[in-house]
Amino acid sequence: MRYISTRGEAPALSFEDVVLTGMAADGGLYVPETIPTFSQAELEAMAGLSYAEIAFRVMKPFVGGEIDDATFRHLVEDAYATFSHEAVVPLNQLSSNHFLLELFHGPTLAFKDVALQLLGRILDHFLAKRGERAVIMGATSGDTGSAAIEGCRHCDNLDIFILHPHNRVSEVQRRQMTTVLADNVFNIAIEGNFDDAQAMVKASFADQRFLKGTRLVAVNSINWARIMAQVVYYVASAVALGAPRREVSFCVPSANFGNVFAGYVASRMGLPVKQFIVATNANDILHRTLAANDFSKQALKATLAPSMDIVVSSNFERLLFEAYDRDGAAVRDLLERFQHEPTVLAEAPLARLREQFSSFSVDDATILEVIREAHARTKELLDPHTATGYRAAERVRADEVTPVITLATAHPAKFADAVFKAGIDEVPLPSHMDGLLEREERYQVLPADLEAVQAFVAAQRR
Ligand SMILES: *Cc1c(COP(=O)(O)O)cnc(C)c1O
């Protein structure tokens, strides 16, 4: 399997290189040169298999033989053994035709574990094979950092440095990162805000000389392996409800669009998906683009669903590439204009997107209302991200006959403050969080100064 850039100029890469590379040299994102497909019979045969077995079958064509089957199967089984639910990602029926897909049973209680538990293991495998080591650097305002740390803590060939803004992440989120005391895990608390931390990570990727030849690897959602791992739960949940003989719809709380793009890939592989509903919070660039053809940046708003607080949706580029018939030059032109000014999509690509994608935006007051209402109606506690999806699914689903699967992207205990705000005073903590508030922490406070951060990374990596 070869991978090509959405901007049409960077060289095609193998799976191994694409996982180790991150962004393409032309500024684009890598996608498979051809999207593999499954026959009706192959999909039918997946019903009833374990999650790990479905994962192996769905991802195998993307790996393209670059990891032997026995090894890959082992990596997949190992990754999903860290989840606390027997079904890994169980389906929970809310009403006659509305289901929640619970993606939050991993070590850090958010859906990013599904991809990052596997990505760490794949990276470690390729590095061991090459006899190389690599450094991971990332900035986080919450979810991604802890999921990346949990995914890499057992990796022999990786050192991971996660920057978070000092005193500006919640205590639970900080402790999920800083209580991991593995030798290869380094938490840096930056005396600044998230943008300062992000800017230093970007500058480090742009000029890696401070690492003297050691590779720097990105684990954000531009890494193809994260998308690939997320395709699996669309297939697993749909076949559990009767696909491919029965169509399903998905509703996805969205920000950088990595999650819902994985669903689109599943549909291109042969899964019959009637509708994708893109739910956003008040940071609604995806909704404005799909509903009103307003593809423009707006100022960041802090919301009750902070993991969906974004200005630009990086993985939307991968969908644009498909909507523009894989015309890399057209995508490059559109995104260069978008950087500088409000813009619009061309008519034909937008019409193509609207055939399968609908959208809805949910503000903070509505998030609280939905948490209350869903609890009263179904006894389920929704986290504020999942609440945007719940409302969007009920408002814009195409019909009542097709089952809608709303993706539950985080456990309510992870965002308990919003649940309390909604007037619910008890949020049970899952057992693997027991003792989190008493555990020893380790982190380094550093000024928002690029040289100081790079000197720390260069000195501490093993
Ligand atoms: C990251 C995240 C999202 C957004 O996912 P994207 O792939 O960026 O669209 C939604 N909910 C939660 C809880 C998240 O952590």
Side-chain angles (χ1 to χ4, degrees):
M1 172 70 74
R2 312 274 300 163
Y3 290 83
I4 57 172
S5 166
T6 49
R7 301 206 186 175
E9 290 189 331
L13 296 181
S14 64
F15 176 70
E16 176 173 339
D17 286 329
V18 104
V19 172
L20 289 166
T21 298
M23 188 173 282
D26 57 6
L29 306 184
Y30 277 106
V31 292
E33 191 163 43
T34 52
I35 297 181
T37 55
F38 290 118
S39 68
Q40 183 105 353
E42 283 170 318
L43 285 170
E44 274 169 20
M46 289 188 207
L49 299 178
S50 71
Y51 187 79
E53 180 60 28
I54 296 176
F56 171 78
R57 293 188 189 191
V58 170
M59 292 188 285
K60 181 175 148 77
F62 295 110
V63 176
E66 292 177 47
I67 306 176
D68 70 79
D69 284 359
T71 305
F72 187 52
R73 199 174 240 121
H74 176 75
L75 295 179
V76 170
E77 283 170 359
D78 210 39
Y80 297 118
T82 64
F83 280 59
S84 63
H85 197 290
E86 178 87 29
V88 182
V89 293
L91 266 176
N92 178 354
Q93 184 164 9
L94 294 178
S95 61
S96 53
N97 240 344
H98 191 179
F99 296 80
L100 268 191
L101 179 59
E102 296 183 354
L103 301 175
F104 52 68
H105 294 281
T108 73
L109 307 178
F111 88 97
K112 292 188 172 70
D113 289 326
V114 179
L116 284 162
Q117 282 297 319
L118 185 65
L119 176 57
R121 286 166 172 84
I122 291 176
L123 285 171
D124 209 35
H125 166 80
F126 282 136
L127 290 166
K129 193 190 77 172
R130 293 173 168 224
E132 284 178 25
R133 299 189 57 80
V135 168
I136 288 174
M137 264 180 97
T140 191
S141 50
D143 281 357
T144 308
S146 57
I149 286 171
E150 283 291 343
C152 296
R153 63 189 294 178
H154 299 300
C155 296
D156 297 328
N157 305 293
L158 282 166
D159 294 311
I160 177 164
F161 295 81
I162 297 293
L163 284 61
H164 69 267
H166 191 34
N167 293 331
R168 293 189 202 207
V169 298
S170 76
E171 184 177 10
V172 167
Q173 289 192 321
R174 186 189 75 238
R175 285 181 161 274
Q176 282 186 318
M177 299 189 280
T178 58
T179 60
V180 177
L181 302 179
D183 289 343
N184 65 332
V185 171
F186 302 90
N187 280 286
I188 303 175
I190 294 293
E191 292 173 315
N193 59 27
F194 171 70
D195 291 333
D196 297 327
Q198 176 91 322
M200 288 189 286
V201 170
K202 276 200 177 150
S204 300
F205 273 91
D207 182 355
Q208 306 185 8
R209 280 174 299 180
F210 73 104
L211 284 176
K212 304 201 165 54
T214 301
R215 182 191 290 273
L216 195 58
V217 175
V219 296
N220 53 13
S221 64
I222 62 169
N223 194 307
W224 171 259
R226 281 186 60 178
I227 307 285
M228 171 185 90
Q230 292 170 178
V231 175
V232 176
Y233 49 72
Y234 288 90
V235 177
S237 59
V239 298
L241 291 183
R245 266 164 294 159
R246 188 188 192 197
E247 267 193 320
V248 298
S249 294
F250 288 98
C251 178
V252 188
S254 295
N256 275 318
F257 208 76
N259 200 357
V260 61
F261 184 75
Y264 170 81
V265 173
S267 80
R268 290 282 306 270
M269 293 178 86
L271 199 71
V273 179
K274 173 144 201 162
Q275 186 189 21
F276 288 106
I277 301 167
V278 177
T280 75
N281 63 18
N283 297 287
D284 61 354
I285 179 166
L286 291 166
H287 177 55
R288 283 185 287 113
T289 303
L290 288 165
N293 199 10
D294 167 12
F295 188 43
S296 67
K297 297 184 214 174
Q298 282 186 358
L300 187 73
K301 301 181 187 86
T303 75
L304 291 171
S307 299
M308 288 161 57
D309 288 350
I310 45 102
V311 172
V312 175
S313 200
S314 51
N315 272 288
F316 193 55
E317 175 163 349
R318 285 187 159 120
L319 185 67
L320 289 173
F321 186 60
E322 303 300 333
Y324 278 81
D325 265 338
R326 299 199 145 206
D327 179 349
V331 171
R332 187 171 0 115
D333 176 59
L334 175 70
L335 287 160
E336 276 167 10
R337 272 186 290 124
F338 168 78
Q339 276 313 319
H340 306 291
E341 64 197 27
T343 178
V344 294
L345 309 191
E347 247 170 64
L350 181 64
R352 207 166 292 150
L353 293 183
R354 284 175 172 168
E355 282 169 22
Q356 212 175 7
F357 289 85
S358 311
S359 61
F360 196 74
S361 160
V362 178
D363 65 16
D364 273 1
T366 309
I367 286 175
L368 296 178
E369 185 187 303
V370 171
I371 293 174
R372 268 191 301 272
E373 178 195 306
H375 186 245
R377 276 172 58 187
T378 69
K379 299 283 168 293
E380 290 299 326
L381 281 182
L382 304 182
D383 99 286
H385 305 82
T386 306
T388 67
Y390 182 89
R391 175 55 61 97
E394 305 246 303
R395 286 294 155 87
V396 296
R397 62 186 296 177
D399 60 60
E400 298 292 320
V401 182
T402 313
V404 177
I405 302 172
T406 293
L407 274 51
T409 53
H411 191 288
K414 191 160 187 179
F415 296 94
D417 286 350
V419 183
F420 295 143
K421 246 192 187 158
I424 292 158
D425 28 60
E426 223 176 312
V427 185
L429 217 60
S431 59
H432 54 291
M433 301 237 321
D434 283 352
L436 184 69
L437 299 181
E438 283 84 51
R439 274 175 232 156
E440 181 188 347
E441 291 188 83
R442 191 169 68 206
Y443 59 95
Q444 178 75 34
V445 180
L446 290 177
D449 174 70
L450 183 62
E451 264 178 46
V453 169
Q454 292 188 337
F456 179 79
V457 174
Q460 297 294 319
R461 76 195 162 96
R462 301 165 311 155

